[in-house]
Amino acid sequence: MSANNAFHIAVLAGDGIGPEVMAPAIEVLRKIEQKSDLRFRFTEAPAGANNYLATGKSMPDSTIKLCEEADAILLGACGLPSVRYPDNTEIAPQIELRFIFDLYAGVRPARLIPGVPSPIVGADQRGIDLVVIRESTEGLFASMGKGVVTHEDARETMVITRKTSERLFEFSFRLAERRKARGKPGALTCVDKANVFKAFAFFRSIFDEIEKKHPGVKTDRLYVDACSAMLVKRPWDFDVMVMENMFGDIVSDITASLIGGLGMAPSADIGDKYAVFQPCHGTAPDIMGQGKANPTGMILSAAMMLDWLADKHGVESAAEAGETIERAIDQVYAGGIKPMEFGGSNGTADITKAVLGAL
């Protein structure tokens, strides 16, 4: 689209409950159109396990071309446990897109919404509002599809490069600075295992170099085991954390569990030019088609998309729209909405209706 406030969005609904949570997110964005000067054009395209069953590919070339041409990509959950590649790995276009478009910064916010239960004692008073930044193209995942398996052993190789680490840390420091400007602590913690592995010592040394360019950001360094222990005791002590791919995969699931579960957790995979926005949860085939899925993570991912579009294109109304969606989510949960995910009776339709009403 040519207008500064008009955006073309690629929509890859995915598998399982993916389409069920994508529909509410699109409804919310349509509602935003009615209340702002923003305009959206949505183009749907296939991706995931069902497409693999039909065609032998996780995504057709046309889907990749659409993603390349769009202003942003909305992705539902993809993959099914029962559908596998010949090497027994799951169909995962969400991972493939990270490599195709060099989406090196996986952004996983974890914010405890009023009215949502947390397993952490005191979290309802102290609050949880942190961001895990997971490097998304290297680390142990660089070995995806390349591991060597023999009768005697199996080997995967972790890769950490200076180029990607420098970009990752610059992104992380900038995010901490943006959060500080919005009244958050603006602190950044490097999470690694530098006391054991040379690769992580290298990772940390690059963090130390980039830190010198950002004197306004308070920094810390933690080993991943200590970080995990601290997260489940005092998560409110954290602001922004940056780490290697596999560590980020695990730690971001921990942080999601602190704020009500994966259904509450949005995410983004961001590169220098492209970005994908999707909920942290999986395809949940056990509840597919039953109206039980929690669309909150998908809706909040759409809000993250608006904030990214605002920053990339200088469209302040998009950032305001993202904040409007977050406030609507807060309002409906404070008002008593309780998804089936954590023991409530509200399904997909109830939550969607409540959010649209709050908007």
Side-chain angles (χ1 to χ4, degrees):
M1 290 186 172
S2 57
N4 287 338
N5 62 340
F7 300 107
H8 180 201
I9 311 300
V11 177
L12 283 55
D15 305 302
I17 63 170
E20 297 174 40
V21 298
M22 181 65 77
I26 300 300
E27 283 189 74
V28 165
L29 290 171
R30 288 296 188 201
K31 187 78 169 182
I32 288 294
E33 278 189 313
Q34 298 171 18
K35 298 175 63 63
S36 71
D37 63 347
L38 300 174
R39 296 295 175 264
F40 303 105
R41 176 163 62 93
F42 300 104
T43 304
E44 297 184 11
N50 287 314
N51 193 74
Y52 177 78
L53 286 175
T55 68
K57 296 180 70 175
S58 66
M59 293 177 286
D61 293 341
S62 58
T63 293
I64 297 170
K65 188 172 189 297
L66 167 66
C67 292
E68 187 175 7
E69 294 172 349
D71 292 304
I73 303 155
L74 275 181
L75 179 66
C78 290
L80 293 170
S82 59
V83 182
R84 304 270 175 160
Y85 285 120
D87 65 358
N88 204 38
T89 58
E90 286 192 32
I91 314 304
Q94 64 272 28
I95 299 177
E96 294 167 32
L97 287 169
R98 295 169 195 165
F99 291 109
I100 292 169
F101 294 112
D102 194 20
L103 310 177
Y104 56 85
V107 183
R108 310 287 189 266
R111 182 175 67 90
L112 185 61
I113 292 170
V116 175
S118 171
I120 306 302
V121 175
D124 52 342
Q125 286 88 35
R126 301 295 297 269
I128 300 172
D129 188 350
L130 57 85
V131 182
V132 172
I133 301 179
R134 164 192 178 184
E135 195 289 313
S136 291
T137 60
E138 296 183 346
L140 196 55
F141 279 74
S143 191
M144 192 178 75
K146 303 172 186 174
V148 176
V149 179
T150 71
H151 184 265
E152 301 300 329
D153 62 19
R155 297 172 186 266
E156 305 278 4
T157 302
M158 181 170 67
V159 177
I160 291 176
T161 69
R162 172 171 289 278
K163 177 184 176 181
T164 295
S165 298
E166 287 178 344
R167 291 187 297 166
L168 177 74
F169 293 139
E170 284 287 359
F171 180 95
S172 303
F173 274 102
R174 289 197 304 269
L175 178 61
E177 288 165 345
R178 272 187 91 192
R179 282 172 65 85
K180 188 173 183 179
R182 294 179 177 183
K184 307 290 174 61
L188 178 61
T189 303
C190 179
V191 181
D192 56 46
K193 198 65 178 168
N195 58 329
V196 176
F197 295 101
K198 291 181 179 180
F200 286 119
F202 176 68
F203 186 75
R204 183 181 287 201
S205 70
I206 298 171
F207 178 85
D208 294 343
E209 293 173 17
I210 303 301
E211 177 191 25
K212 297 172 184 176
K213 302 179 184 179
H214 302 271
V217 176
K218 181 183 177 183
T219 61
D220 198 2
R221 294 131 183 90
L222 283 175
Y223 302 134
V224 66
D225 44 352
C227 174
S228 299
M230 292 169 68
L231 271 172
V232 297
K233 292 176 70 176
R234 296 179 59 86
W236 44 81
D237 286 346
F238 291 90
D239 188 27
V240 184
M241 297 178 285
V242 59
M243 62 200 72
E244 176 270 341
N245 207 335
M246 179 59 81
F247 287 168
D249 189 16
I250 297 166
V251 171
S252 62
D253 272 19
I254 293 175
T255 57
S257 72
L258 307 182
I259 60 163
L262 290 171
M264 300 298 298
S267 79
D269 289 306
I270 298 174
D272 292 336
K273 185 177 179 181
Y274 302 97
V276 173
F277 301 86
Q278 67 174 127
C280 287
H281 63 71
T283 54
D286 57 321
I287 61 168
M288 178 177 62
Q290 300 173 40
K292 296 179 178 180
N294 181 2
T296 305
M298 186 76 243
I299 294 170
L300 288 172
S301 297
M304 286 183 71
M305 179 187 75
L306 293 175
D307 189 65
W308 178 79
L309 288 168
D311 187 50
K312 185 173 179 61
H313 297 281
V315 182
E316 187 57 34
S317 60
E320 292 169 358
E323 291 173 358
T324 298
I325 292 172
E326 289 186 356
R327 286 195 298 271
I329 294 284
D330 287 3
Q331 181 180 328
V332 301
Y333 277 94
I337 278 284
K338 192 173 183 182
M340 297 177 184
E341 180 182 15
F342 41 88
S345 60
N346 299 118
T348 314
D350 289 343
I351 298 167
T352 304
K353 182 180 178 182
V355 174
L356 291 171
L359 285 170

